[in-house]
Amino acid sequence: MSSKGFDFALEEMTHYRRKITRENRSDKKLPVIFNDYMNCLWADPTTEKELPIIDAAAALGCEYYCIDAGWYTDENWWYKVGEWEPSKTRFPNGLKELTDYIRSKGMIPGIWMEIEVMGTQCFIASEKLGKGWFFERHGKASLDRDRYQLNFRNPEGRTYTRAAIDRMIQEYGIGYFKIYYNINTNIGTDYNSDSYGDGLLEHNRAYLAWIDDIFATYPDLVIENCSSGGMRIDYAMLKRHSIQSTSDQTDYLKYASIAANAPSALTPEQSAIWSYPLSDSTREQTIFNCVNSCLMRIHQSGHMGVLAEDKKDIVKEKFKYYREIRKEIPQSIPFWPLGLASDGDDWMSLGLKMPSRTVLAIWHVKGNDTVELPLPALKGQSIKARIAFPENDMKCEYSWNSEKGILTVKMTEEMARIFEFC
């Protein structure tokens, strides 16, 4: 911890993380990503289900559209990972029909893959047992939740997985991969290694080299690092990947604390936050849901095809404001007027110091309806405070005391707002 305080320490960490991260267009442009999973299709994609959601996502202004899990099998998506051929039942005219349609709507298609594993029901898995393709212990392939862990030291396995990536790019025009990881390697592998740890370390190095080779071939490809949501947040991965899933939390109220704390673990421009307005949500619930993602990377989801028009208008307004500030997010420095958030807190906040303004997300979940937020860096400055999202707000009361550097906010439970100081 720095003698200058927590926020200063995180400022230095943010500078360092940016310095070591692979330069990439995605982290500068911050395109809006739609993913069909969360509170939407739940790993059950079909052409018929996807088309109206694609239309709605495009109309809202999304720039990437990611087809999540389940696209490669008719059933048992968990157990059949590893072949990476599209289901003919889900997509009667082929997956390319769908990815071409996504591109025709002005979006770049993406796909979910759990590239590092094979399920026990994958048709080739049994053929590879005993051939060094998987992690082994005492000569037997290791299993975790009915999945085998691929050993990336094996050149045949690396060739196989790279061919799957190339095929998705070249045949289907995929420009975004959500690379998932949902098992636990435990202590590693003793196959052709001095110890379990030695096998695990060499596997990890081989996997990172495999990723490096992909980016050498496709420098503008976007790869999301995802592991049961927000696992594997480390800069061995994030110095390469342009975006990191922060959670698979399905409750937007609980997601507030995750969103508030995310820039303590990674840069804001790499922090992917779900926003998934529910079809039966109120206006305030929709706003709260949108505020969660507004200062970082938007992972939009929810059943946009059936969302009421007034709720869609809120999402459109969020996108409009996001486009105003996103060019500054990669230069922003995070700070926490109320300290880091905890699940169960009444109030939470996250600020970003940007080149031209300071923005502040505030969430009120429960408890006292008034809070004071100290903003010492803005104390004594001739600046004004305003509610930036949503516009024309009539429910949130606030006052800005420039002399003391304190923002006082009053709003009822389960409300959230974005403030701007400039």
Side-chain angles (χ1 to χ4, degrees):
M1 177 61 69
S2 168
S3 61
K4 296 183 180 181
F6 178 80
D7 283 353
F8 178 81
L10 264 295
E11 178 177 349
E12 293 301 301
M13 284 295 296
T14 302
H15 288 313
Y16 174 72
R17 288 163 177 163
R18 286 177 175 146
K19 187 174 182 179
I20 65 173
T21 301
R22 177 184 65 90
E23 186 173 346
N24 64 91
R25 186 163 60 185
S26 178
D27 283 352
K28 293 180 178 179
K29 301 295 185 181
L30 278 60
V32 175
I33 300 153
F34 188 93
N35 181 293
D36 68 20
Y37 180 76
M38 185 64 70
N39 290 325
C40 192
L41 295 185
W42 294 120
D44 189 24
T46 66
T47 299
E48 182 180 10
K49 291 177 181 179
E50 293 280 11
L51 291 175
I53 303 173
I54 293 169
D55 289 340
L60 288 169
C62 296
E63 293 154 295
Y64 282 77
Y65 188 99
C66 185
I67 301 166
D68 211 273
W71 57 270
Y72 45 83
T73 182
D74 300 341
E75 58 183 7
N76 293 334
W77 70 267
W78 180 269
Y79 306 102
K80 292 187 176 181
V81 288
E83 183 181 354
W84 309 125
E85 293 288 350
S87 164
K88 295 179 181 179
T89 302
R90 292 183 180 278
F91 313 108
N93 296 322
L95 180 64
K96 192 173 188 300
E97 177 190 49
L98 201 59
T99 57
D100 284 349
Y101 188 72
I102 292 169
R103 284 199 176 269
S104 76
K105 290 294 181 175
M107 297 181 292
I108 296 173
I111 204 81
W112 178 104
M113 296 180 80
E114 195 164 357
I115 201 70
E116 298 164 72
V117 303
M118 280 189 183
T120 53
Q121 295 182 22
C122 173
F123 87 105
I124 67 168
S126 60
E127 299 175 7
K128 306 304 179 184
L129 292 173
K131 297 182 179 180
W133 273 54
F134 306 123
F135 274 29
E136 294 183 10
R137 298 185 194 111
H138 306 297
K140 185 177 180 180
S142 304
L143 265 181
D144 185 78
R145 303 176 73 191
D146 292 295
R147 289 167 174 211
Y148 299 109
Q149 166 70 54
L150 285 167
N151 184 352
F152 269 70
R153 293 179 299 163
N154 185 301
E156 292 182 359
R158 291 197 304 273
T159 299
Y160 175 83
T161 50
R162 175 57 188 267
I165 295 291
D166 289 339
R167 184 173 68 252
M168 299 308 298
I169 294 171
Q170 295 163 12
E171 292 187 19
Y172 302 103
I174 296 300
Y176 181 103
F177 286 94
K178 177 178 179 178
I179 299 295
Y180 210 70
Y181 186 78
N182 210 14
I183 66 170
N184 191 335
T185 61
N186 294 312
I187 59 175
T189 177
D190 61 3
Y191 180 82
N192 281 354
S193 57
D194 294 334
S195 65
Y196 295 121
D198 175 53
L200 179 59
L201 177 62
E202 293 305 315
H203 158 79
N204 288 339
R205 288 171 172 168
Y207 179 74
L208 293 174
W210 182 86
I211 288 287
D212 288 339
D213 190 57
I214 289 175
F215 281 126
T217 307
Y218 309 107
D220 292 328
L221 183 68
V222 180
I223 300 182
E224 173 193 341
N225 185 38
C226 184
S227 178
S228 298
M231 307 298 285
R232 294 212 298 191
I233 298 179
D234 69 84
Y235 271 82
M237 300 290 279
L238 289 177
K239 70 183 296 184
R240 295 164 168 86
H241 297 70
S242 55
I243 190 168
Q244 165 74 49
S245 172
T246 55
S247 180
D248 273 348
Q249 173 58 252
T250 62
D251 185 335
Y252 67 93
L253 291 172
K254 292 182 179 295
Y255 214 132
S257 61
I258 298 167
N261 290 347
S264 67
L266 63 161
T267 64
E269 63 270 21
Q270 291 179 293
S271 303
I273 309 290
W274 285 110
S275 177
Y276 36 69
L278 306 177
S279 57
D280 60 350
S281 62
T282 66
R283 172 179 169 79
E284 287 300 335
Q285 289 170 339
T286 305
I287 293 169
F288 194 112
N289 212 313
C290 287
V291 168
N292 284 349
S293 64
C294 205
L295 300 190
M296 287 164 279
R297 295 295 294 272
I298 297 176
H299 260 181
Q300 191 64 45
S301 195
H303 234 304
M304 293 293 116
V306 298
L307 193 68
E309 288 302 318
D310 60 330
K311 310 305 186 306
K312 286 183 182 178
D313 288 342
I314 296 170
V315 178
K316 289 178 182 177
E317 184 184 336
K318 175 187 72 171
F319 287 175
K320 177 176 178 291
Y321 180 64
Y322 187 70
R323 290 189 183 95
E324 292 178 13
I325 66 169
R326 64 179 173 180
K327 64 180 178 296
E328 295 191 59
I329 292 175
Q331 291 84 46
S332 69
I333 299 299
F335 65 97
W336 293 265
L338 300 177
L340 289 180
S342 296
D343 185 31
D345 282 355
D346 294 353
W347 290 84
M348 293 167 278
S349 67
L350 168 66
L352 294 181
K353 291 181 288 186
M354 296 179 168
S356 72
R357 69 195 94 187
T358 294
V359 294
L360 182 65
I362 303 173
W363 296 267
H364 182 209
V365 180
K366 58 184 175 63
N368 194 306
D369 65 0
T370 303
V371 68
E372 291 187 348
L373 297 102
L375 302 170
L378 303 180
K379 183 178 178 179
Q381 296 187 27
S382 58
I383 57 176
K384 294 182 178 180
R386 72 179 185 96
I387 296 176
F389 174 78
E391 295 179 321
N392 304 316
D393 178 62
M394 302 298 291
K395 290 189 175 183
C396 175
E397 300 177 27
Y398 69 96
S399 62
W400 166 238
N401 188 321
S402 177
E403 184 178 344
K404 295 182 178 179
I406 293 177
L407 177 70
T408 303
V409 177
K410 181 178 181 180
M411 54 188 181
T412 59
E413 294 182 358
E414 299 186 10
M415 287 179 65
R417 295 292 187 270
I418 301 291
F419 281 80
E420 192 172 282
F421 302 81
C422 57

